[in-house]
Amino acid sequence: MTDIRKETIPRTANLPPGTLVHIGQRRIEAPVLSVIEYDPQHVREYQPADMEELAQPQKNGAVRWVNLDGIHDLEQVERLGAAMGVHPLVLEDIVNTSQRPKLEDYGDYLFLVFKMLYYNADENTILAEQVSLILRQGVVASFQEAPGDVFGAIRDRIRTGGGRIRTMPADYLAYALLDAVVDNYFVVLEHFAENIELLEDRLIEESTPEMLEEIYVLKRETSFLRKAAWPMRELAGAFDRTASALLSQGTRVYLRDLYDHAVQVVDTVELFRESASGMLDVYLSNASNRMNEVMKVLTIIATIFIPLTFIAGVYGMNFRHMPELDEPWAYPVTLTVMAAVAAGMLMYFRKKRWL
Amino acid sequence: MTDIRKETIPRTANLPPGTLVHIGQRRIEAPVLSVIEYDPQHVREYQPADMEELAQPQKNGAVRWVNLDGIHDLEQVERLGAAMGVHPLVLEDIVNTSQRPKLEDYGDYLFLVFKMLYYNADENTILAEQVSLILRQGVVASFQEAPGDVFGAIRDRIRTGGGRIRTMPADYLAYALLDAVVDNYFVVLEHFAENIELLEDRLIEESTPEMLEEIYVLKRETSFLRKAAWPMRELAGAFDRTASALLSQGTRVYLRDLYDHAVQVVDTVELFRESASGMLDVYLSNASNRMNEVMKVLTIIATIFIPLTFIAGVYGMNFRHMPELDEPWAYPVTLTVMAAVAAGMLMYFRKKRWL
Amino acid sequence: MTDIRKETIPRTANLPPGTLVHIGQRRIEAPVLSVIEYDPQHVREYQPADMEELAQPQKNGAVRWVNLDGIHDLEQVERLGAAMGVHPLVLEDIVNTSQRPKLEDYGDYLFLVFKMLYYNADENTILAEQVSLILRQGVVASFQEAPGDVFGAIRDRIRTGGGRIRTMPADYLAYALLDAVVDNYFVVLEHFAENIELLEDRLIEESTPEMLEEIYVLKRETSFLRKAAWPMRELAGAFDRTASALLSQGTRVYLRDLYDHAVQVVDTVELFRESASGMLDVYLSNASNRMNEVMKVLTIIATIFIPLTFIAGVYGMNFRHMPELDEPWAYPVTLTVMAAVAAGMLMYFRKKRWL
Amino acid sequence: MTDIRKETIPRTANLPPGTLVHIGQRRIEAPVLSVIEYDPQHVREYQPADMEELAQPQKNGAVRWVNLDGIHDLEQVERLGAAMGVHPLVLEDIVNTSQRPKLEDYGDYLFLVFKMLYYNADENTILAEQVSLILRQGVVASFQEAPGDVFGAIRDRIRTGGGRIRTMPADYLAYALLDAVVDNYFVVLEHFAENIELLEDRLIEESTPEMLEEIYVLKRETSFLRKAAWPMRELAGAFDRTASALLSQGTRVYLRDLYDHAVQVVDTVELFRESASGMLDVYLSNASNRMNEVMKVLTIIATIFIPLTFIAGVYGMNFRHMPELDEPWAYPVTLTVMAAVAAGMLMYFRKKRWL
Amino acid sequence: MTDIRKETIPRTANLPPGTLVHIGQRRIEAPVLSVIEYDPQHVREYQPADMEELAQPQKNGAVRWVNLDGIHDLEQVERLGAAMGVHPLVLEDIVNTSQRPKLEDYGDYLFLVFKMLYYNADENTILAEQVSLILRQGVVASFQEAPGDVFGAIRDRIRTGGGRIRTMPADYLAYALLDAVVDNYFVVLEHFAENIELLEDRLIEESTPEMLEEIYVLKRETSFLRKAAWPMRELAGAFDRTASALLSQGTRVYLRDLYDHAVQVVDTVELFRESASGMLDVYLSNASNRMNEVMKVLTIIATIFIPLTFIAGVYGMNFRHMPELDEPWAYPVTLTVMAAVAAGMLMYFRKKRWL
């Protein structure tokens, strides 16, 4: 589970392809492996003692969902992989948490890897956790970085027989998991939208230099969201279009729906990008407006008083022969002239609409 | 019916796919279900007592249009859906008013969902209402969020037998409804164009900080319009190209026309986007021009009077030995020098074209 | 014939598709219908008394060109349309002058609608007139909004037998008309290019706030030109690629040429867009340069005289015990110090390259 | 040969398609027609007396290269065209020097038209000359606007038998000519790159208002280069992909190479565009930095001396009852206070990092 | 090995295609040719005395890797090329180090050319070295500009039998080499990301004019990275999709993985571009904020003291009849008025939030 802003570059240089290297935060909790098996009539949940029993074929119509929380125990992942019969490269992708979301069709199984997004309200950050799915005939295996996921509602539906999940084959389960993840993107986007709206309101009221940083952070986060959303859309599209025999006709209609949701995620993210750009424009314009106002105040004060000060300076000169100085009317007249100059300036400013 | 600026993110996380959840504003009015049946000779309008009768097949060439105003009564939508024989996912899309416009081909029926736009002149906002269409052989079912729509003219044509609608099959009705919606986009765009033109005229005359906010709102609204217009274009294109047997040859030529209109909507929206960007440039330039003028006034006043004040300051010094002070010609000469300095400055400014 | 800046939004909401509504400026002149019939040996020009005779099939190899100037007499258009045997939607498009340029293949005839552009030198605007073409076997019908067109040279060539037009079938005539229109785009673009060049030259010499408005108008006009040019390119491309049997092999090579010209129009318009953006950058930079210069003048004057004025102020104080005041050398020394301060400032500015 | 900035709009309105009109600068030199015939063993160069002999078929494996320098003698071009058996439209394209680069496949011959670019170091401009190629079985005809080209090295290789050109068929010659032209683009780009680098260095050192114009000119030239480079890339791609039987397998591998070079030209031009945009950003930022510095100097001077001048002004007042004025310590104390105020201001500025 | 900023334009104008010209930095070290031959059981490393022996076919399943460090000895490259049986154009591409990355399928061999990137921490530059690969049945030949590469780990795996490389055919070796290069891009990107993060942190803290240059350099480097990354992605995609029989089914799954990595490189570079643009925005906004603050200080000081100085100036006038001057309370009252004016100004600024 990583802050999405930190997650850009995988590091497997100098290792042979297919080498298992866990990339991502090391965790101390022991990984938890759990299995749910169900058919329309029965549900059974257990923690398998032996990996090999997972390899046994399923009975007619039954679905087995193997979930592994924690992928840092490489040996465990490797044994599970062997039991599922997957290619070493798939295992490498599972444990390397900097994968680009993708779907790969290996003939007798599909491999899907994608990101689960969480919104961390406390730190106002978005966390990403990589989830890998293996879909075989009758079996779905999911690999997560850590305990905690967005699949609770699906487990409940399996347990209670709600919805149609118990009557559908394994590919529907895979779809349901992916759908839960995409739906959760909307939850994240909603928080995002709230932040944007809040910032917009504050911005229009008054814009401070601190907001610039906020806008910049927002822009960067949108970039990261975008980098996450586009491949998710590609993945959903590939899932929808794949010719794999693992997908039943009954599930395909749902995949089209999933694709629509992914497209909507992308559209919304693009809208956020535009909003962020627009906010920067508003911020810059506000700054320039404030500057303008500062300049106006300076100009008004200076242009009124500088000429007056000059007049005062003239009659502060010490020439012996300045006839005005001796006239009794000179002082009041000078003051009147000063007032007239000031009034003229003020009228000029009013005409210019600076006041 | 929602302000288009408020409408971005659907919320169905944690629900099984196909669950009916009404998303959108809750309404208190009871939903109204009405049916129009027509063939070239007859028209019959009624409110069906029983949903089941809607499921009965149509007589030769007759068309049945079932319209539901109000989709918040989920049970009613579900029964109507059952009567029409549609997939649960379709029902979910119908009641979730944050759908992306799309067309889906389910073999024996087509499902179309799109947005009807209204311009609310009082609040100067654009409202969007989601409309869903189901096109079966001989039947069109439309689902709207609220009473009131842009289909009045179509109803009149059916009642009076105007145009060729009574002689055409159900797919033509579906086309006519979609065409009425797209045509109404132009009404909205026209209001938009007027607003833009008005703002442009005001902007060129004089630009105030308030206009910045208006431009920003305009830009955002254009973004939303765009988000609505592009999928509408895709939808019209998909409608035109779909190979479905539900579309008769006679209707296809109209679909091409519909697509042209949708393309024109998109072109116009893109033009608005450019206009909004252009206005921002003009606004910023105007702001900078005004600033420039403020600075010039300050500079002219300051550069004329600061040297003069300095001269006055020199002869205001109290040195005992300042021979000029005693000369009778000193004061007039000083005043003349001051006038010459001011005149020189003014000539300099005129040469610089600051005056 | 409309100013291209005014022409964005068609208004046919609430009308049944295929209803003839004339959109565009109403005209008072009576529409003029004229016919030219030609084959390699003969030419005949006449104004038909009866629409029905236009429906008669052509003799071997002869071509009939029916031209209608003025489309506001809806009844006349309708009768001509009936004589030509075209679909009602085509007629609707012909009389609605806000069509997007397009080509439609109705099997036994092609329908083309596009814009003829004129440059109005007096008002420095670009006018657009919609032209519709119907191409049948041996017949071309053209519909124009008003008398006056760019087809004079084609008529002359038909009359005099110049070029190869008399020896070619009707599709070549359709091509020739479209080619004349596209060639005239270049005439418009040339005026545009001259305006741009002129504005560029003035801009580099000196940029005034009025130019900002001119640049803005230029940008908008480029947007409109672009909106006109792109569909023209699509139309030419569709004309080139269409599989219609109405196009003879001998004409196809010319269509490729036509498409090349349309592409060149688009390229040139895109170049204009970039020029307009570039000019805005130059304008803004010039404005900022001028501001910079104003600030420098203010700064130089103020920073030279403010310290001097301070010195003068010090010796203008009325303290009784200011020993310098009584020294005979004090005044000249003070003046010298002042001169030195001013000289130091000037040297500083020269070092900073402000002078 | 035209400055690429002057070359945008062809002018053939009102002329029948296929009319030969020479567009481009009129020249006084007589056109020169020269022929090189070669096979692996022989080379023969001559100036043909009679056009008809050019029409005679080639002996086995021999290649004939007909080159015409100067296309303003329309009659000569027409006779050569007739001898080569080309379509009138091709001749029109050859003499009209405002063609967009393109390749056209006329079945028994290919027609290529493209631009040769030269860098004119004296005026720092890029000149474009249109070259047209006709490739028939065993014959290549090239048409140039003026004497002088980039084909000298190819002639030398033919004469000396260097490279593999003498052993290859005519399509290789056509490739070699095009390759020479594309390679020369790199020479032009290199000059461009040098100019950009120079301007960048000067810009980072110090940016003057004159540079703005240079950047603007650079940007425009990049736009023109781009307009020339993209169709060249399309042309090379079309040459590579064309299914024409005129292209031998041995030449095809070279065409792929040619395409790679054309792609590299486009990539480089796009890089230049970005550089030019980047330079504008730097220029504007520099201008704003300089402004900032000017403002700081003004502010520092003004904020230090304005309060001091005020203090001096206070003790320059002529009130009779100002007890301080009579104290012997008053003057030194005042001066000390003034120094303290100035020092405080300086410390404030240092803290603000303005010094 | 060249700084990527220096590497844009190849220079082979005027040379016959297929001429070997070494482009790139001349080197003095002698080129080193080395061979590794391996099969699952054996490994043999040697420096071949004779080029011809490299041409001998491989035994069953064995793989021969011929590596040449240093391509400036043209004759040696030519002999090696002859021994490998490659086309002269391929040799030209190998020695010309300004190739655009590409893959070419010559039927019995594949030719790949691409860039190896290094990060030079001392000079903070990115160096590029061109690597060419020839993949034949059982043989891979690699050509590098200089000793030193990123293939050490692969050599180790071959020697120790680590990973699965010894059991795979020659195409896997080619993949492994390309994979090592792409993985090393991530190392470079990581340095880049660190630089960006550092610069961002400094920028938000305080932005100096020097940073502008750094941002500009960053932007340019991103442009160059982009120009390198996109064709790499195309190359990986072409490698993945090529139908060549040289690629075994076992290797293909790895190629898909390689393509994913290349896509990730491109995504990351695009993200960097956005970051750089964002930083420029922040820089410019910061500059404008600082300017704003400078202006505020000036305005506050000036608007407070200019009126006060005016008041002092009034009572510094030398009129004989100024009754206030003789009042004992006049001086304290004047000082009080001055304090009140200053206080009023300060309150105004506080209200305006300038303080």
Side-chain angles (χ1 to χ4, degrees), chain E residues 40 45 149 196 228 251 281 309:
Chain E
E45 293 188 58
D149 55 33
I196 287 180
T251 303
D281 287 341
T309 303

Side-chain angles (χ1 to χ4, degrees), chain B residues 23-320:
Chain B
I23 288 179
Q25 284 184 271
R26 296 259 145 213
R27 317 200 147 269
I28 32 168
E29 312 96 346
V32 178
L33 183 70
S34 59
V35 177
I36 305 184
E37 283 177 14
Y38 62 87
D39 61 22
Q41 282 74 40
H42 315 87
V43 185
R44 182 186 156 219
E45 293 187 57
Y46 62 99
Q47 303 216 348
D50 182 13
M51 290 276 182
E52 267 64 53
E53 70 183 273
L54 298 178
Q56 288 164 15
Q58 285 294 94
K59 289 156 292 177
N60 265 359
V63 176
R64 179 187 293 143
W65 174 17
V66 184
N67 182 62
L68 179 62
D69 281 335
I71 52 175
H72 47 282
D73 180 347
L74 298 184
E75 199 207 353
Q76 193 179 27
V77 173
E78 205 153 21
R79 271 187 297 134
L80 182 51
M84 302 291 296
V86 302
H87 194 277
L89 264 182
V90 168
L91 294 179
E92 185 193 359
D93 286 354
I94 288 172
V95 298
N96 179 333
T97 63
S98 56
Q99 289 305 308
R100 195 174 193 268
K102 65 181 171 181
L103 172 143
E104 289 185 345
D105 183 351
Y106 283 83
D108 51 350
Y109 61 93
L110 291 179
F111 171 56
L112 295 93
V113 58
F114 47 88
K115 304 287 181 192
M116 195 148 58
L117 296 189
Y118 302 98
Y119 181 74
N120 182 335
D122 294 338
E123 309 181 14
N124 194 10
T125 51
I126 298 168
L127 302 176
E129 180 180 344
Q130 178 164 308
V131 179
S132 308
L133 286 191
I134 310 239
L135 169 63
R136 296 193 81 94
Q137 196 60 43
V139 184
V140 171
S142 54
F143 300 81
Q144 305 184 42
E145 291 185 55
D149 54 35
V150 299
F151 302 148
I154 295 175
R155 284 194 192 88
D156 289 348
R157 271 187 274 145
I158 294 177
R159 284 170 193 144
T160 61
R164 61 184 69 77
I165 195 162
R166 287 262 289 274
T167 65
M168 303 286 284
D171 54 341
Y172 183 87
L173 175 60
Y175 149 74
L177 295 172
L178 199 52
D179 189 55
V181 166
V182 171
D183 274 0
N184 205 52
Y185 276 45
F186 287 113
V187 176
V188 171
L189 291 179
E190 213 171 309
H191 285 289
F192 226 90
E194 276 169 29
N195 285 349
I196 287 180
E197 213 167 306
L198 231 73
L199 193 53
E200 264 173 359
D201 290 350
R202 286 166 54 206
L203 198 61
I204 277 173
E205 207 188 293
E206 184 201 18
S207 68
T208 66
E210 288 74 39
M211 281 183 197
L212 177 65
E213 202 182 319
E214 284 183 57
I215 295 172
Y216 180 67
V217 168
L218 196 71
K219 257 188 127 170
R220 280 201 66 198
E221 269 181 351
T222 325
S223 290
F224 281 101
L225 261 187
R226 196 179 179 225
K227 193 167 166 250
W230 276 98
M232 198 69 191
R233 175 183 158 158
E234 283 169 35
L235 164 57
F239 204 13
D240 182 20
R241 284 187 311 272
T242 182
S244 170
L246 287 161
L247 294 183
S248 60
Q249 205 52 41
T251 303
R252 284 205 178 271
V253 56
Y254 292 96
L255 296 182
R256 205 158 50 179
D257 202 61
L258 178 71
Y259 178 64
D260 284 338
H261 289 176
V263 169
Q264 241 176 328
V265 169
V266 166
D267 282 6
T268 307
V269 170
E270 294 296 330
L271 212 61
F272 288 173
R273 272 167 64 89
E274 289 191 14
S275 287
S277 293
M279 279 194 280
L280 191 68
D281 287 341
V282 170
Y283 174 84
L284 291 174
S285 306
N286 278 348
S288 127
N289 280 336
R290 278 200 319 274
M291 180 89 150
N292 222 326
E293 210 175 317
V294 170
M295 291 306 305
K296 272 188 201 165
V297 167
L298 174 60
T299 303
I300 289 169
I301 295 287
T303 49
I304 287 177
F305 285 102
I306 285 180
L308 303 187
T309 303
F310 164 67
I311 294 173
V314 165
Y315 293 109
M317 292 194 293
N318 297 321
F319 291 113
R320 182 164 301 178

Side-chain angles (χ1 to χ4, degrees), chain E residues 297-334:
Chain E
V297 168
L298 173 61
T299 302
I300 290 170
I301 294 287
T303 48
I304 289 177
F305 284 103
I306 285 179
L308 303 188
T309 303
F310 164 68
I311 295 173
V314 165
Y315 293 109
M317 293 194 293
N318 297 322
F319 290 112
R320 182 164 299 179
H321 303 280
M322 289 177 73
E324 303 97 305
L325 293 183
D326 301 325
E327 306 294 341
W329 47 260
Y331 180 49
V333 162
T334 300

Side-chain angles (χ1 to χ4, degrees), chain C residues 157 164 175 190 200 254 260 263-264 267 274 281 285 289 291 295 306 310 318-320 324 352, chain D residues 11 16-17 98 100 102 212 216 220 223 273 283-284 291 293 295 315-318 325-326 331:
Chain C
R157 269 187 274 146
R164 60 184 70 77
Y175 150 73
E190 213 171 307
E200 265 174 357
Y254 292 96
D260 283 339
V263 169
Q264 241 175 328
D267 282 7
E274 290 192 13
D281 287 341
S285 305
N289 280 335
M291 179 91 149
M295 292 305 306
I306 286 180
F310 164 67
N318 297 321
F319 290 112
R320 182 164 301 179
E324 304 98 304
K352 284 268 186 188
Chain D
R11 304 162 204 219
S98 55
R100 196 173 191 268
K102 64 178 172 183
L212 176 64
Y216 180 67
R220 279 201 66 196
S223 289
R273 270 168 65 89
Y283 173 84
L284 291 174
M291 180 90 150
E293 209 175 316
M295 293 304 306
Y315 292 109
M317 292 193 294
N318 297 321
L325 292 183
D326 301 326
Y331 179 50

Side-chain angles (χ1 to χ4, degrees), chain E residues 154-292:
Chain E
I154 295 175
R155 285 195 192 86
D156 289 349
R157 271 187 274 147
I158 293 178
R159 286 170 192 143
T160 61
R164 61 185 69 78
I165 195 161
R166 288 261 289 273
T167 65
M168 302 286 283
D171 55 340
Y172 184 86
L173 174 60
Y175 150 74
L177 296 173
L178 200 51
D179 189 54
V181 167
V182 171
D183 274 0
N184 205 53
Y185 276 46
F186 287 112
V187 177
V188 171
L189 291 179
E190 215 172 307
H191 285 288
F192 226 89
E194 276 169 29
N195 284 350
I196 287 180
E197 214 167 305
L198 230 75
L199 193 53
E200 265 173 359
D201 290 351
R202 286 165 54 206
L203 197 61
I204 277 173
E205 206 187 292
E206 183 201 20
S207 68
T208 66
E210 289 73 39
M211 280 183 198
L212 177 64
E213 202 182 320
E214 285 183 56
I215 295 172
Y216 180 66
V217 167
L218 197 71
K219 258 190 125 169
R220 279 201 66 197
E221 269 179 352
T222 324
S223 290
F224 281 102
L225 261 185
R226 195 178 181 227
K227 193 167 165 248
W230 274 99
M232 198 71 190
R233 176 184 158 157
E234 282 170 36
L235 164 57
F239 205 12
D240 183 19
R241 284 188 311 272
T242 181
S244 169
L246 287 160
L247 295 182
S248 60
Q249 205 51 42
T251 303
R252 284 205 177 270
V253 57
Y254 291 97
L255 296 182
R256 208 158 46 178
D257 203 61
L258 178 70
Y259 177 64
D260 284 338
H261 288 176
V263 169
Q264 241 176 327
V265 168
V266 166
D267 283 5
T268 308
V269 169
E270 294 296 330
L271 212 60
F272 288 174
R273 272 168 64 89
E274 289 191 15
S275 288
S277 293
M279 279 195 279
L280 191 67
D281 287 341
V282 171
Y283 174 83
L284 291 174
S285 306
N286 277 348
S288 125
N289 280 335
R290 279 200 319 276
M291 181 89 150
N292 223 326

